[in-house]
Amino acid sequence: MQDVKDSLRSVRKRSRRTFQDFRLEMLLIGNAEFLSSASFNELDYLFNKLKINIVLAGTKRIVNNMFADESDDEPGLKNCLLGSYQFPDLASPEDSSDFVDVIDNWERKYLPESYRLKLSSDDDAVKYLYEKCDGLLEVLYNLLRRITIAALYEEQYSGAKLDAQTLYKILGAADYSEGSYKIRSDFAS
């Protein structure tokens, strides 16, 4: 355990030195909702001691994670924040057509016309996708990528109607990491 602490301490020192050597002014951190409270303490140090501006990007869970271990007498990171902006979640399909438009635009942008999935044509599939992504755009994009990979590369979904039940099977299936699927013979890249 001591070796791990020593190696982390070493990485921390090297990182700080690199930041100073390159005169880093701003640090952008994506998926910040996954940072631990110790990481937030380190960011507090970078802001206060090294005068590096920190921009955190992530889902709405980020605020809960950031202030989880802080007490009122020791505000820590709260004092470092100059401001925040929370992008609105996508409106539900029942309230607005925005969600369906995002799906259609994504398919138009990334899929050849002959391979478009037409997910927005099935109301149950759209509702299922909305429930899975919780109105978060980045999560929706990840789901659409997984569905597309399954629909184009997995023989069992070749030509299958992509309804809510099929989406449930696809999104509940194994991880579609690189190399774990075979390219369908009829797919022209």
Side-chain angles (χ1 to χ4, degrees):
M1 188 63 162
Q2 186 61 33
D3 292 338
V4 172
K5 286 184 180 181
D6 289 341
S7 65
L8 287 174
R9 190 174 295 122
S10 170
V11 168
R12 190 176 294 127
K13 285 180 183 178
R14 278 197 322 263
S15 298
R16 289 177 183 169
R17 194 170 32 249
T18 302
F19 292 163
Q20 288 174 324
D21 290 347
F22 284 97
R23 294 186 180 108
L24 186 72
E25 293 179 10
M26 183 180 295
L27 186 61
L28 303 169
I29 301 172
N31 294 322
E33 68 272 13
F34 297 114
L35 294 174
S36 65
S37 56
S39 300
F40 284 117
N41 290 336
E42 186 64 28
L43 294 176
D44 183 42
Y45 176 86
L46 292 175
F47 177 80
N48 288 314
K49 301 291 190 230
L50 301 181
K51 306 301 182 208
I52 297 173
N53 295 309
I54 310 291
V55 176
L56 302 175
T59 65
K60 53 190 167 190
R61 295 175 200 91
I62 192 171
V63 175
N64 298 337
N65 295 354
M66 245 180 359
F67 304 133
D69 294 339
E70 291 186 0
S71 65
D72 289 334
D73 2 321
E74 203 174 307
L77 200 58
K78 286 181 188 173
N79 288 343
C80 299
L81 298 175
L82 299 176
S84 67
Y85 179 77
Q86 182 174 349
F87 289 95
D89 296 342
L90 292 168
S92 72
E94 292 89 20
D95 298 337
S96 167
S97 66
D98 290 348
F99 189 76
V100 172
D101 290 344
V102 168
I103 294 171
D104 287 338
N105 289 337
W106 189 90
E107 285 190 26
R108 256 194 312 280
K109 184 173 182 179
Y110 295 108
L111 296 175
E113 191 170 343
S114 60
Y115 288 96
R116 297 220 175 112
L117 305 175
K118 300 175 185 71
L119 290 169
S120 61
S121 63
D122 185 340
D123 290 340
D124 290 337
V126 170
K127 287 177 190 172
Y128 177 72
L129 282 173
Y130 184 79
E131 289 171 12
K132 285 291 281 185
C133 77
D134 198 25
L136 300 173
L137 194 57
E138 187 176 349
V139 177
L140 175 62
Y141 288 155
N142 288 334
L143 293 174
L144 290 172
R145 278 191 287 273
R146 287 177 63 191
I147 293 165
T148 302
I149 288 169
L152 297 178
Y153 296 118
E154 299 276 334
E155 290 293 335
Q156 62 187 345
Y157 301 114
S158 174
K161 183 177 186 295
L162 291 175
D163 56 8
Q165 183 124 6
T166 307
L167 294 182
Y168 180 78
K169 289 177 188 172
I170 291 172
L171 297 175
D175 180 30
Y176 294 102
S177 56
E178 219 173 292
S180 66
Y181 50 82
K182 291 184 178 181
I183 296 176
R184 277 185 15 211
S185 58
D186 66 330
F187 180 67
S189 49

